Structure formats: C-alpha cells, structure tokens
Amino acid sequence: MRQKIIQEKYPIFVLELQKDETDMQSADDIVARLKSNIEADRVARYIGVFDHYNHTKALPDGSIAPEIEDAKNILFCFGVALPSAEMLALRPRSIGVAELADRFIVSFLEAPMPVANIAMENWVRALRADPVTA
C-alpha cells in the first residue's frame, strides 16, 4: 500500500492488487468483503454503495478512462465524536474500488482519525490472498 498526494493536496492510500493476488473476482466481491468488515467493526457504520462507473457512464458528457471496467465507492462513517459542526465536512468515509482487466485499485482519503486509517488499511491489505505480503 502506498501513501501519496493527488491533485497536489489530497493525501490518499492506494493498493494496486493484481487479480492473481486475491480470491476476489470483481469490484462487487471487494465491496462485499469491505461491507462485512465495516459491519463487524464496533464503531464503523455502513451507509451504502455508490456505483460511480454507471453514474458517470450515464452522463451525457461522462468520461471514464478506457482501462476502467468498473468503479464503486463503499460509504461508511467512523464518527465516534462530533466536537464541532465543521467536522461534518470530513465525514463520511469512502473506499474506492476500481476494476481493470488485470488488477484492482483500492483507494481512500486519509482520515483525520488515526484509528480509522489503521482499520481501513487493515481491511484493504487483507484483500490479498496472502496478507503477509501486503
């Protein structure tokens, strides 16, 4: 898993997962696995799934990189406290799953809560068939 900055300001975590490195067969399989992780977490709350691929494809001017075969976001929240109204701008969380012909790209924006980052990193790393090599 790599940490990087995109568009010069957004800190994200990204895992590129070759299809032969996982038992997951599709973006939907990955989303289902992440949903079960979220539902098993004592703090996280599952919200839903956004089908980004079909949404963008349906737009008259929608544009999708040709190598992307599917793209979904699973939405959830770790909100254990609401210290100010402005914190709502940082919530909820999302993990993006893009499916390409030979691999999956799983990514999420760094959260302001270290515990949330650790949980999301663990969930994403566990998608590998052999998590030790993650």
Side-chain angles (χ1 to χ4, degrees):
M1 182 169 302
R2 298 177 323 206
Q3 275 189 280
K4 63 191 243 184
I5 304 288
I6 61 170
Q7 295 186 346
E8 300 179 15
K9 60 182 165 182
Y10 300 108
I12 65 169
F13 291 82
V14 179
L15 177 71
E16 288 199 27
L17 183 63
Q18 296 297 315
K19 287 188 173 179
D20 63 1
E21 295 179 294
T22 183
D23 58 348
M24 304 287 107
Q25 301 296 310
S26 67
D28 287 329
D29 289 347
I30 290 178
V31 167
R33 173 78 55 86
L34 293 170
K35 180 180 179 188
S36 67
N37 292 136
I38 292 163
E39 291 175 335
D41 190 277
R42 70 173 192 82
V43 176
R45 174 68 56 98
Y46 171 76
I47 297 170
V49 174
F50 175 63
D51 186 334
H52 205 315
Y53 185 88
N54 282 313
H55 164 76
T56 305
K57 186 177 173 183
L59 295 172
D61 295 326
S63 175
I64 301 170
E67 67 272 12
I68 297 174
E69 297 178 353
D70 198 1
K72 296 197 166 77
N73 288 86
I74 184 163
L75 306 157
F76 54 98
C77 190
F78 277 106
V80 296
L82 197 53
S84 70
E86 292 83 4
M87 287 302 292
L88 293 170
L90 304 175
R91 298 187 182 137
R93 308 302 323 152
S94 168
I95 297 176
V97 179
E99 182 174 350
L100 287 68
D102 61 339
R103 68 190 183 284
F104 300 102
I105 299 175
V106 184
S107 59
F108 59 91
L109 185 65
E110 183 177 3
M113 190 167 105
V115 172
N117 287 320
I118 291 168
M120 291 186 290
E121 281 187 75
N122 288 339
W123 298 342
V124 170
R125 287 180 192 274
L127 295 169
R128 286 199 194 277
D130 178 12
V132 174
T133 64

